[in-house]
Amino acid sequence: MTDAAPITRRVGWRRGEAPAATLSREWLVTNGLGGYAAGTVAGAATRRFHGVLIAALPAPLGRYLALAALDETLRLDHDGGERLSGSSPFGGPVRTPTDTLLEFALEDGLPVWTWQVGAVRIEKRLLMPHLRNTAHVTYAVRDAPGVITLELLPRFNVRPHEGSVETLHARRPDRPADRPSFPYDIEESVRGIEVRAEGVPPIRLALVGPRPARLLRAEDTVELLYAMERERGYDFRGPVASPGRWDVLLEPGDVLTVVISMQSWEELAAIDPAEARAAELRRRRALIERAHPALRTGLGAELVLAADQFVISPHARVADEARLHAEGREARSVIAGYHWFTEWGRDTMISLDGLTLRTGDPQDAASILHTFARHVRDGLIPNYFPEGAQDGVYHTADASLWFVHAIGRYERLTGDVGLRRALAPAIAQIIERHLAGTRFGIGMDPRDGLLRQGAPGYQLTWMDAKVGDWVVTPRRGKAVEINALWYNALRLAEEWAHADGDAAVAERLGGIASQARDAFNARFWNAPAGYCFDVVDVEGRDGVDDPSLRPNQLLAISLPHPVLAPERWRPALDAVRGALLTPVGVRTLAPGDPDYRARYDGDLRARDAAYHQGTAWGWLLGPLVDAWRRVHGDDSEGLSWITESVATNLSEACLGQASEIFDAEAPYTPRGCVAQAWSVAELIRCLVTIAPS
């Protein structure tokens, strides 16, 4: 695999065109800690999250923008220079530099830009060494008539990656806010420059190339326009500051790397950029080699590389790392989505199968489960960990049930019973606290064995949009997917009790599961409509059940232990496919419903009003495919369109990644996070499912 041709995705255009694709299409590189580098193909920063290095720092800091931009200008002889890339100053034109940008590609998931200016051809690559808060930007002169000058101008606004762009953050306290000079302390040495902002570790920049170059001091501050932030209703203009520039002389064949890091100088000196690139390419190709056979070439291999970007060592939570290291284990978790999501319990457990087990890394799966097991409280795992926090927030009714499901998937696919036995106390706590009742009104109704949930002001299911005090889809009562997950968890716990020789516990849990199954089929089936109610015993609406046609009922068919009666599988699946299926995902509400929204756009309130009211979600393709296979057996012919769906995902929004959501109607514009863990994970499972056996 080491000498194999790289997995390549290319984006090209005709010279002189200015396609919107260079601004609307993005790239992402991650470091296995939650840190990342991101931007547009054109090089313009359109989001507050775009930058050359966003470092993942220990709590309470979280992720910080270390270097906002690295502007590049090519000079031949003494001409004025040709700007190759850079951000767009506010009030100026947004650049789509296709006069010079010949091609953009991903090679083994890493971005490559190729510029052509007259007879000069320059190639730029970016990578982040694994588990390091470091970025390498490498330039190679492929063709040139002689010596050229590459001007490199670093721009800074050192701030939390979700912080406001309107002011320069973490300024030196002695600098007036209106002073235009560089607002951070800077120190130069033979190793490079060191930039110090208040409250964060130093940012170190070094040039590794054939000739030395000193920073030419010329402090300035410019204001940038962040077009996507304006579209999303956030602050969208703000300053970035530069201490000066490097003028680097390069000849044909020369290679120059700019190293940007929040690691120590000693760590940076330990491995040179060429060694770091070779090591990272070996790591990436090993990921593909160990994955399921259906994932070792083409779209599958791209998804394996996409999956790798979400599995992290939770470096920000030092306590988790220390405790698990003391037990001889590695702490692992999952970033739910880039750029703004952190670690989410529900997303992690849904993603676990696709991100780790299908990609051939059960050890990471086990580490993730151990990491979350340490955070079980009152029978709940965290809904999410806030940015830079050690402790989780627990308001979720389904994450703990997905945790039990994920343990079941792990055991079935690996044959390893040891993990489940090690986590038995956490499993038992989850089951027993749900039986007795726990936080947020989550608990079993003893009259029918069904699980109810709900508390004022909380959004506890995966349909969790909330704006201020407005919970858009409260779903308080007995929700269909919560009870599908509850029944599945009970049956899994019953199986495990039998396997461990505890007949009394198995009999008790089996009895509760049977009660829940009977009640589910009596209460949830909407016979006139031919599909399931979404919520029954709706809180505050005595005797009224929610007849909304939503995709949540897929879980009543798709889980390993389906709660819905088999004779109802086909009509429920047909109803969902007929009204909700799109080429890129599954709608969250049927067209024609009074609450249906076809587009996810506008300000935050407008977007959240549409988030689960029609908007199509990529992750739901996984349950739909599982339900299809349960109804149609091994006949996968009806799922041939899945491959096209994967191809569309990987070529839109963030190249090589899968988006969080899409508009509910054509052209199904990708929205939300440009890279979402459960979207990638479920596409991986879909490809494996439809692969020839």
Side-chain angles (χ1 to χ4, degrees), residues 41-87:
V41 168
T46 60
R47 300 182 187 270
R48 72 186 63 211
F49 306 97
H50 286 164
V52 183
L53 174 62
I54 294 88
L57 303 176
L61 294 174
R63 287 176 287 183
Y64 257 74
L65 177 65
L67 181 63
L70 187 62
D71 291 355
E72 300 133 330
T73 300
L74 173 66
R75 274 211 329 260
L76 304 173
D77 300 323
H78 299 289
D79 68 2
E82 180 71 41
R83 180 85 172 274
L84 299 180
S85 75
S87 297

Short mmCIF file of all heavy atoms in Angstrom, two decimals, residues 41-87:
data_model
loop_
_atom_site.label_atom_id
_atom_site.label_comp_id
_atom_site.label_asym_id
_atom_site.label_seq_id
_atom_site.Cartn_x
_atom_site.Cartn_y
_atom_site.Cartn_z
N VAL A 41 -11.33 26.71 -1.47
CA VAL A 41 -10.39 26.41 -2.55
C VAL A 41 -9.70 27.69 -3.02
O VAL A 41 -8.50 27.70 -3.29
CB VAL A 41 -11.14 25.73 -3.72
CG1 VAL A 41 -10.27 25.67 -4.97
CG2 VAL A 41 -11.58 24.33 -3.32
N ALA A 42 -10.45 28.81 -3.06
CA ALA A 42 -9.89 30.07 -3.53
C ALA A 42 -8.87 30.67 -2.57
O ALA A 42 -8.06 31.50 -2.96
CB ALA A 42 -11.01 31.08 -3.77
N GLY A 43 -8.93 30.26 -1.30
CA GLY A 43 -8.02 30.82 -0.30
C GLY A 43 -8.64 31.91 0.53
O GLY A 43 -8.05 32.34 1.53
N ALA A 44 -9.83 32.41 0.16
CA ALA A 44 -10.49 33.44 0.94
C ALA A 44 -11.15 32.83 2.17
O ALA A 44 -11.78 31.77 2.08
CB ALA A 44 -11.54 34.15 0.09
N ALA A 45 -11.01 33.49 3.30
CA ALA A 45 -11.68 33.04 4.53
C ALA A 45 -13.11 33.53 4.51
O ALA A 45 -13.37 34.73 4.62
CB ALA A 45 -10.95 33.56 5.76
N THR A 46 -14.06 32.62 4.35
CA THR A 46 -15.47 33.01 4.32
C THR A 46 -16.17 32.69 5.63
O THR A 46 -17.32 33.08 5.82
CB THR A 46 -16.20 32.30 3.17
OG1 THR A 46 -16.11 30.88 3.36
CG2 THR A 46 -15.58 32.68 1.83
N ARG A 47 -15.51 31.96 6.53
CA ARG A 47 -16.07 31.61 7.84
C ARG A 47 -15.10 32.06 8.93
O ARG A 47 -13.89 32.12 8.71
CB ARG A 47 -16.28 30.11 7.97
CG ARG A 47 -17.22 29.49 6.96
CD ARG A 47 -17.36 27.99 7.25
NE ARG A 47 -18.11 27.28 6.24
CZ ARG A 47 -19.43 27.11 6.26
NH1 ARG A 47 -20.13 27.60 7.26
NH2 ARG A 47 -20.04 26.44 5.30
N ARG A 48 -15.62 32.30 10.12
CA ARG A 48 -14.76 32.60 11.26
C ARG A 48 -13.88 31.41 11.61
O ARG A 48 -12.87 31.55 12.29
CB ARG A 48 -15.61 32.99 12.47
CG ARG A 48 -16.38 31.85 13.12
CD ARG A 48 -17.31 32.33 14.22
NE ARG A 48 -18.32 33.21 13.67
CZ ARG A 48 -18.86 34.22 14.36
NH1 ARG A 48 -18.50 34.45 15.60
NH2 ARG A 48 -19.77 34.98 13.81
N PHE A 49 -14.24 30.24 11.13
CA PHE A 49 -13.53 29.00 11.44
C PHE A 49 -12.41 28.70 10.46
O PHE A 49 -11.71 27.70 10.60
CB PHE A 49 -14.51 27.83 11.46
CG PHE A 49 -15.68 28.04 12.37
CD1 PHE A 49 -16.89 28.50 11.88
CD2 PHE A 49 -15.57 27.80 13.73
CE1 PHE A 49 -17.98 28.70 12.72
CE2 PHE A 49 -16.65 28.00 14.58
CZ PHE A 49 -17.85 28.46 14.08
N HIS A 50 -12.25 29.52 9.45
CA HIS A 50 -11.21 29.27 8.46
C HIS A 50 -9.87 29.80 8.98
O HIS A 50 -9.79 30.91 9.52
CB HIS A 50 -11.55 29.94 7.14
CG HIS A 50 -12.63 29.24 6.38
ND1 HIS A 50 -13.32 29.81 5.33
CD2 HIS A 50 -13.15 27.98 6.51
CE1 HIS A 50 -14.20 28.95 4.86
NE2 HIS A 50 -14.11 27.84 5.56
N GLY A 51 -8.84 29.00 8.79
CA GLY A 51 -7.51 29.41 9.22
C GLY A 51 -6.49 28.34 8.91
O GLY A 51 -6.83 27.20 8.60
N VAL A 52 -5.23 28.73 9.00
CA VAL A 52 -4.12 27.81 8.71
C VAL A 52 -3.88 26.87 9.88
O VAL A 52 -3.46 25.74 9.70
CB VAL A 52 -2.85 28.60 8.36
CG1 VAL A 52 -1.71 27.66 7.97
CG2 VAL A 52 -3.12 29.58 7.23
N LEU A 53 -4.11 27.33 11.10
CA LEU A 53 -3.97 26.48 12.28
C LEU A 53 -5.00 26.89 13.32
O LEU A 53 -5.00 28.02 13.81
CB LEU A 53 -2.57 26.58 12.88
CG LEU A 53 -2.36 25.84 14.21
CD1 LEU A 53 -2.60 24.34 14.04
CD2 LEU A 53 -0.97 26.10 14.78
N ILE A 54 -5.91 25.97 13.63
CA ILE A 54 -6.81 26.09 14.76
C ILE A 54 -6.38 24.99 15.73
O ILE A 54 -6.56 23.80 15.45
CB ILE A 54 -8.28 25.95 14.36
CG1 ILE A 54 -8.71 27.12 13.48
CG2 ILE A 54 -9.17 25.92 15.61
CD1 ILE A 54 -8.48 26.92 12.01
N ALA A 55 -5.76 25.36 16.82
CA ALA A 55 -5.15 24.41 17.75
C ALA A 55 -6.16 23.97 18.81
O ALA A 55 -7.02 24.75 19.23
CB ALA A 55 -3.94 25.04 18.43
N ALA A 56 -6.07 22.71 19.23
CA ALA A 56 -6.90 22.18 20.32
C ALA A 56 -6.09 22.25 21.60
O ALA A 56 -5.13 21.48 21.78
CB ALA A 56 -7.31 20.74 20.01
N LEU A 57 -6.45 23.15 22.49
CA LEU A 57 -5.69 23.40 23.71
C LEU A 57 -6.42 22.84 24.92
O LEU A 57 -7.65 22.73 24.92
CB LEU A 57 -5.48 24.90 23.88
CG LEU A 57 -4.77 25.60 22.70
CD1 LEU A 57 -4.70 27.10 22.95
CD2 LEU A 57 -3.38 25.01 22.47
N PRO A 58 -5.69 22.46 25.97
CA PRO A 58 -6.33 21.88 27.16
C PRO A 58 -7.34 22.83 27.79
O PRO A 58 -7.22 24.05 27.68
CB PRO A 58 -5.15 21.61 28.10
CG PRO A 58 -3.96 21.51 27.21
CD PRO A 58 -4.22 22.47 26.08
N ALA A 59 -8.35 22.23 28.44
CA ALA A 59 -9.35 23.02 29.17
C ALA A 59 -8.63 23.94 30.17
O ALA A 59 -7.61 23.55 30.75
CB ALA A 59 -10.32 22.09 29.88
N PRO A 60 -9.11 25.15 30.34
CA PRO A 60 -10.40 25.67 29.86
C PRO A 60 -10.33 26.41 28.53
O PRO A 60 -11.29 27.10 28.17
CB PRO A 60 -10.79 26.63 30.97
CG PRO A 60 -9.47 27.21 31.41
CD PRO A 60 -8.48 26.07 31.31
N LEU A 61 -9.24 26.29 27.77
CA LEU A 61 -9.09 27.09 26.56
C LEU A 61 -9.92 26.56 25.40
O LEU A 61 -10.65 27.29 24.75
CB LEU A 61 -7.61 27.16 26.16
CG LEU A 61 -6.70 27.91 27.14
CD1 LEU A 61 -5.25 27.79 26.73
CD2 LEU A 61 -7.11 29.38 27.20
N GLY A 62 -9.79 25.27 25.10
CA GLY A 62 -10.49 24.73 23.93
C GLY A 62 -9.74 25.07 22.64
O GLY A 62 -8.53 25.28 22.64
N ARG A 63 -10.48 25.16 21.54
CA ARG A 63 -9.84 25.37 20.24
C ARG A 63 -9.65 26.86 19.94
O ARG A 63 -10.57 27.65 20.11
CB ARG A 63 -10.66 24.69 19.14
CG ARG A 63 -10.52 23.17 19.20
CD ARG A 63 -11.39 22.46 18.21
NE ARG A 63 -12.80 22.50 18.58
CZ ARG A 63 -13.76 21.90 17.90
NH1 ARG A 63 -13.46 21.21 16.80
NH2 ARG A 63 -15.02 21.97 18.30
N TYR A 64 -8.42 27.19 19.51
CA TYR A 64 -8.02 28.58 19.28
C TYR A 64 -7.49 28.76 17.87
O TYR A 64 -6.74 27.92 17.36
CB TYR A 64 -6.93 29.00 20.27
CG TYR A 64 -7.43 29.86 21.40
CD1 TYR A 64 -8.18 29.31 22.44
CD2 TYR A 64 -7.20 31.23 21.42
CE1 TYR A 64 -8.66 30.09 23.47
CE2 TYR A 64 -7.66 32.03 22.46
CZ TYR A 64 -8.40 31.46 23.48
OH TYR A 64 -8.88 32.24 24.50
N LEU A 65 -7.89 29.87 17.25
CA LEU A 65 -7.33 30.26 15.96
C LEU A 65 -5.93 30.81 16.20
O LEU A 65 -5.77 31.88 16.78
CB LEU A 65 -8.23 31.31 15.31
CG LEU A 65 -7.75 31.87 13.97
CD1 LEU A 65 -7.75 30.78 12.90
CD2 LEU A 65 -8.62 33.04 13.53
N ALA A 66 -4.93 30.08 15.73
CA ALA A 66 -3.55 30.50 15.94
C ALA A 66 -3.04 31.35 14.79
O ALA A 66 -2.40 32.38 15.01
CB ALA A 66 -2.65 29.27 16.13
N LEU A 67 -3.29 30.92 13.56
CA LEU A 67 -2.89 31.71 12.39
C LEU A 67 -4.09 31.80 11.46
O LEU A 67 -4.59 30.79 10.96
CB LEU A 67 -1.71 31.06 11.66
CG LEU A 67 -1.21 31.84 10.42
CD1 LEU A 67 -0.69 33.22 10.82
CD2 LEU A 67 -0.14 31.06 9.68
N ALA A 68 -4.56 33.02 11.24
CA ALA A 68 -5.78 33.21 10.46
C ALA A 68 -5.54 33.01 8.97
O ALA A 68 -6.39 32.44 8.27
CB ALA A 68 -6.34 34.61 10.71
N ALA A 69 -4.40 33.47 8.46
CA ALA A 69 -4.16 33.38 7.02
C ALA A 69 -2.67 33.47 6.75
O ALA A 69 -1.90 33.99 7.57
CB ALA A 69 -4.91 34.49 6.28
N LEU A 70 -2.29 32.99 5.58
CA LEU A 70 -0.92 33.13 5.08
C LEU A 70 -1.05 33.57 3.63
O LEU A 70 -1.26 32.76 2.73
CB LEU A 70 -0.17 31.79 5.19
CG LEU A 70 1.31 31.81 4.85
CD1 LEU A 70 2.08 32.73 5.80
CD2 LEU A 70 1.89 30.40 4.93
N ASP A 71 -0.99 34.89 3.42
CA ASP A 71 -1.18 35.43 2.08
C ASP A 71 0.09 35.20 1.26
O ASP A 71 1.21 35.36 1.75
CB ASP A 71 -1.48 36.93 2.14
CG ASP A 71 -2.85 37.20 2.73
OD1 ASP A 71 -3.59 36.23 2.99
OD2 ASP A 71 -3.17 38.39 2.93
N GLU A 72 -0.12 34.87 -0.02
CA GLU A 72 0.98 34.48 -0.90
C GLU A 72 0.99 35.34 -2.16
O GLU A 72 -0.04 35.49 -2.82
CB GLU A 72 0.83 33.01 -1.30
CG GLU A 72 0.83 32.05 -0.11
CD GLU A 72 -0.30 31.02 -0.18
OE1 GLU A 72 -1.36 31.35 -0.75
OE2 GLU A 72 -0.12 29.92 0.34
N THR A 73 2.15 35.91 -2.47
CA THR A 73 2.31 36.71 -3.69
C THR A 73 3.58 36.27 -4.39
O THR A 73 4.63 36.10 -3.75
CB THR A 73 2.39 38.21 -3.35
OG1 THR A 73 1.17 38.60 -2.70
CG2 THR A 73 2.57 39.04 -4.61
N LEU A 74 3.47 36.06 -5.69
CA LEU A 74 4.63 35.67 -6.51
C LEU A 74 5.19 36.90 -7.20
O LEU A 74 4.44 37.65 -7.84
CB LEU A 74 4.21 34.63 -7.54
CG LEU A 74 5.27 34.24 -8.59
CD1 LEU A 74 6.44 33.52 -7.92
CD2 LEU A 74 4.64 33.38 -9.67
N ARG A 75 6.53 37.12 -7.08
CA ARG A 75 7.19 38.21 -7.79
C ARG A 75 8.23 37.66 -8.73
O ARG A 75 9.04 36.80 -8.36
CB ARG A 75 7.86 39.17 -6.80
CG ARG A 75 6.97 40.24 -6.25
CD ARG A 75 7.69 41.54 -5.92
NE ARG A 75 9.06 41.39 -5.50
CZ ARG A 75 9.47 41.42 -4.23
NH1 ARG A 75 8.59 41.54 -3.26
NH2 ARG A 75 10.75 41.31 -3.95
N LEU A 76 8.20 38.18 -9.96
CA LEU A 76 9.21 37.84 -10.95
C LEU A 76 10.03 39.10 -11.22
O LEU A 76 9.47 40.16 -11.53
CB LEU A 76 8.57 37.36 -12.25
CG LEU A 76 7.62 36.16 -12.12
CD1 LEU A 76 6.92 35.89 -13.43
CD2 LEU A 76 8.39 34.93 -11.67
N ASP A 77 11.34 39.01 -11.11
CA ASP A 77 12.22 40.17 -11.26
C ASP A 77 11.76 41.26 -10.28
O ASP A 77 11.67 41.02 -9.10
CB ASP A 77 12.22 40.68 -12.71
CG ASP A 77 12.72 39.61 -13.67
OD1 ASP A 77 13.63 38.86 -13.28
OD2 ASP A 77 12.17 39.52 -14.78
N HIS A 78 11.42 42.43 -10.81
CA HIS A 78 11.03 43.53 -9.92
C HIS A 78 9.61 43.98 -10.21
O HIS A 78 9.25 45.14 -9.99
CB HIS A 78 11.99 44.73 -10.11
CG HIS A 78 13.41 44.39 -9.78
ND1 HIS A 78 13.85 44.18 -8.49
CD2 HIS A 78 14.49 44.21 -10.58
CE1 HIS A 78 15.14 43.89 -8.50
NE2 HIS A 78 15.56 43.89 -9.77
N ASP A 79 8.77 43.05 -10.70
CA ASP A 79 7.39 43.44 -10.99
C ASP A 79 6.59 43.56 -9.69
O ASP A 79 7.06 43.27 -8.61
CB ASP A 79 6.73 42.44 -11.95
CG ASP A 79 6.51 41.08 -11.31
OD1 ASP A 79 6.83 40.91 -10.13
OD2 ASP A 79 6.01 40.18 -12.01
N GLY A 80 5.37 44.02 -9.83
CA GLY A 80 4.53 44.24 -8.66
C GLY A 80 4.05 42.98 -8.00
O GLY A 80 3.55 43.01 -6.88
N GLY A 81 4.14 41.86 -8.68
CA GLY A 81 3.76 40.59 -8.08
C GLY A 81 2.36 40.14 -8.47
O GLY A 81 1.50 40.95 -8.84
N GLU A 82 2.15 38.86 -8.41
CA GLU A 82 0.86 38.24 -8.69
C GLU A 82 0.36 37.59 -7.42
O GLU A 82 0.98 36.67 -6.89
CB GLU A 82 1.00 37.18 -9.79
CG GLU A 82 -0.28 36.48 -10.16
CD GLU A 82 -1.25 37.39 -10.90
OE1 GLU A 82 -0.80 38.15 -11.78
OE2 GLU A 82 -2.46 37.33 -10.60
N ARG A 83 -0.77 38.10 -6.93
CA ARG A 83 -1.35 37.54 -5.70
C ARG A 83 -1.86 36.13 -6.00
O ARG A 83 -2.67 35.92 -6.90
CB ARG A 83 -2.50 38.42 -5.24
CG ARG A 83 -3.20 37.95 -3.97
CD ARG A 83 -2.48 38.46 -2.73
NE ARG A 83 -3.26 38.17 -1.53
CZ ARG A 83 -4.23 38.95 -1.07
NH1 ARG A 83 -4.54 40.06 -1.71
NH2 ARG A 83 -4.88 38.63 0.02
N LEU A 84 -1.40 35.15 -5.26
CA LEU A 84 -1.80 33.78 -5.49
C LEU A 84 -3.05 33.43 -4.71
O LEU A 84 -3.98 32.81 -5.21
CB LEU A 84 -0.66 32.82 -5.13
CG LEU A 84 0.63 33.00 -5.94
CD1 LEU A 84 1.68 32.00 -5.48
CD2 LEU A 84 0.37 32.87 -7.43
N SER A 85 -3.09 33.80 -3.44
CA SER A 85 -4.28 33.56 -2.63
C SER A 85 -4.25 34.47 -1.44
O SER A 85 -3.22 35.08 -1.13
CB SER A 85 -4.37 32.09 -2.19
OG SER A 85 -3.45 31.83 -1.15
N GLY A 86 -5.37 34.54 -0.76
CA GLY A 86 -5.45 35.35 0.43
C GLY A 86 -6.87 35.76 0.70
O GLY A 86 -7.75 35.63 -0.14
N SER A 87 -7.11 36.27 1.89
CA SER A 87 -8.46 36.66 2.29
C SER A 87 -8.85 37.97 1.64
O SER A 87 -8.02 38.71 1.11
CB SER A 87 -8.54 36.77 3.81
OG SER A 87 -8.29 35.51 4.39
#
